[in-house]
Amino acid sequence: MTVLLGGILLAAGVMLYVLEPVFSGRGAPLYDGVDDFDEGAARRRVALTALRDLEYDRATGKLDGDDYEMLKTELSREALQHMGPRQRGGGDPVTERASRELEEEIEQIRRALREGLQCGDCGHLNAFGARYCGRCGEALERDGGAS
């Protein structure tokens, strides 16, 4: 009888522990507020994610300089290719603006990697100024020492 009562209390404790976030109302945002609805933006986002991963692989020493340059050129070309037929013309101001925006996003990713904004637990790349990971909630460790 005591074992059965202990098992029931243990099961109830586990259920309360698992359901505590639901009852407390706490939560983390599921997205960073940027919505890309058209197909071109989605393809561009995939190419930019691949470029981010490439930057991370270079920063961790998985890629040497020659492989990095080759893959960066290929992925940049692919990202620009998915901008659409109007934006692919040579010397087009739209293409130049898109290329500049792409380079700015790559620089933001590099800066985030340098400043420790990528979560060490889940790998999520967080917004600038974040102190905790937007995906898992862990404290972000900065290169400057304090988190």
Side-chain angles (χ1 to χ4, degrees):
M1 182 69 176
T2 316
V3 174
L4 180 64
L5 183 60
I8 291 173
L9 287 175
L10 180 65
V14 168
M15 283 192 57
L16 285 175
Y17 179 76
V18 169
L19 294 175
E20 188 271 333
V22 174
F23 295 129
S24 69
R26 290 183 295 143
L30 298 176
Y31 67 99
D32 61 359
V34 178
D35 292 325
D36 294 329
F37 292 106
D38 63 340
E39 185 176 341
R43 288 182 178 181
R44 180 172 171 256
R45 177 61 53 196
V46 168
L48 289 174
T49 301
L51 280 168
R52 181 196 68 198
D53 292 343
L54 180 69
E55 292 290 332
Y56 183 70
D57 287 345
R58 180 177 181 225
T60 58
K62 292 181 181 178
L63 286 174
D64 64 358
D66 295 335
D67 290 339
Y68 167 76
E69 290 300 326
M70 179 187 70
L71 290 170
K72 179 183 173 193
T73 302
E74 181 180 324
L75 289 171
S76 297
R77 185 178 307 122
E78 184 177 335
L80 289 174
Q81 181 181 11
H82 292 298
M83 292 295 184
R86 293 187 319 235
Q87 299 172 349
R88 282 190 286 227
D92 186 13
V94 175
T95 302
E96 292 174 10
R97 181 177 54 95
S99 178
R100 187 174 53 251
E101 288 174 0
L102 180 65
E103 289 299 324
E104 288 172 2
E105 285 190 47
I106 291 171
E107 181 55 36
Q108 285 180 347
I109 291 168
R110 286 180 181 158
R111 185 171 142 211
L113 287 172
R114 281 192 307 266
E115 293 183 10
L117 293 175
Q118 186 165 17
C119 180
D121 288 346
C122 69
H124 180 68
L125 192 62
N126 294 282
F128 290 103
R131 293 176 47 199
Y132 298 94
C133 178
R135 181 179 292 158
C136 69
E138 287 294 317
L140 297 174
E141 294 183 17
R142 307 284 179 172
D143 289 340
S147 54

